[in-house]
Amino acid sequence: MVHPHTNAASSSPNGGAATTTTTTLTSATEEQDRHYQDDEDEDDPQDNMEYWLQRCSICFEAQLDLCLDYCRDQYCLDCFRRYVTNVVTSSWGLSVTKIRCPVCQDHIPQSEWSKFVPKSVVDQYNRFNQPYRSFSRCCPGCETEVMPCQRLQRSQPRRVHGLLKEYLHECNEHHDHPRHRMLLRDVLPVYERQEWSSHTLLDVYKRTIHALKVLERDHPSFIQPLVIAQHILSFDMKPDTWRKLQFIHIGLFPETNCPECNMVFCLQCGNQHHPGSTCEQYMQNVVDHHAAPVEVIETFQWQLKNSRRCPSCSIMIQRDEGCNKVDCSLCGYCFCWACLSQWSDKCGFYHCSRSPTTTSDVSPEHSNAKTELGVPNVSSIQARLYPGINA
């Protein structure tokens, strides 16, 4: 007699029916698990490594369009174009900027990255990244770009030797400035034998031009120092040496003529020529005497507050925020904004021990607070944000 609630298959003496039922249930469970796994793979493809191997290394979203030959990193075309364009537009200093891979920082040759960007970007890079690119200023009168240190053609040191020898021959008729005439005689063999290195050429240039400028005061009819200086600028030298030499040249010859309107203006500050006074003195004098339109006076006031003369290249550079550590965007010199000396451990990011003044506007009770090197002074920041609350 079979119990009404008993499964008939379980009464089999050899258990065959029970085995069949269990196998069927197991197969259904495995099929369901595979179905769930397929659904998970379809819903979350990011768990698959193959998915990431086909993604851009910058945005991780778009599918790759190119793979670099040198480092094998891969990008989508939009991201790579945007990256190269940003690097090129920011490379406005006087040193050559190299395009590097944003992932591994390997150098990407121009022959490769130029294939994926517009021609206008390549032209801008070539214009901004010339090894001997001259510093330039826009004329304040007509806004024409003026380059005072262009290398027009290569000059021979023997040519300078001949000019200086002729100059000294004419100076022998006079007996003034014997020390400076002796200085020129000392550098004559250097130009004749071309005995200098990249470092000593800078010193030879300064000694030569300094002596010529002193002698020119009493003998203006003789050869002009600017002529000799332009010949030396055209010597065959390394790009980095030439970049340093042109800023020494601008420091010795700060004024230039605009080729379009013939206006004489200052290369260091970009304003009209102000003989007998520094750039800061000239701007302060204009502000004090209201000797210019209101917008010009306001510009000078802002420049006097936020500008400094780079101790290396003598060019007025601007900084409206940030710490005291500044890298000149033109010559690359690293100096302290507060004391204008070369950056060292004695210079603080927010309080410089060498300078009696500080660049941050803090109340006297916070001015003596010591700040760890590289760590923001929280008290000074709070004093600026909440001047009426004592920290």
Side-chain angles (χ1 to χ4, degrees), residues 295-359:
E295 58 271 13
V296 176
I297 293 178
E298 292 178 351
T299 300
F300 283 0
Q301 289 175 338
W302 187 92
Q303 290 179 344
L304 288 171
K305 181 180 179 181
N306 300 283
S307 300
R308 296 283 193 278
R309 186 188 303 273
C310 174
S312 177
C313 65
S314 302
I315 306 296
M316 297 288 292
I317 60 176
Q318 300 171 355
R319 189 214 68 169
D320 56 356
E321 61 181 6
C323 65
N324 288 332
K325 186 177 182 181
V326 176
D327 293 320
C328 179
S329 58
L330 297 172
C331 66
Y333 185 73
C334 182
F335 66 97
C336 176
W337 189 260
C339 65
L340 298 180
S341 61
Q342 187 174 10
W343 183 261
S344 66
D345 294 339
K346 296 181 180 179
C347 301
F349 284 93
Y350 295 94
H351 293 275
C352 179
S353 60
R354 293 179 174 179
S355 177
T357 59
T358 179
T359 58

Side-chain angles (χ1 to χ4, degrees), residues 196-215:
W196 62 67
S197 62
S198 298
H199 176 72
T200 56
L201 179 60
L202 304 178
D203 181 63
V204 170
Y205 173 86
K206 289 188 287 187
R207 290 163 57 192
T208 303
I209 302 304
H210 175 69
L212 289 175
K213 289 177 74 70
V214 172
L215 294 173

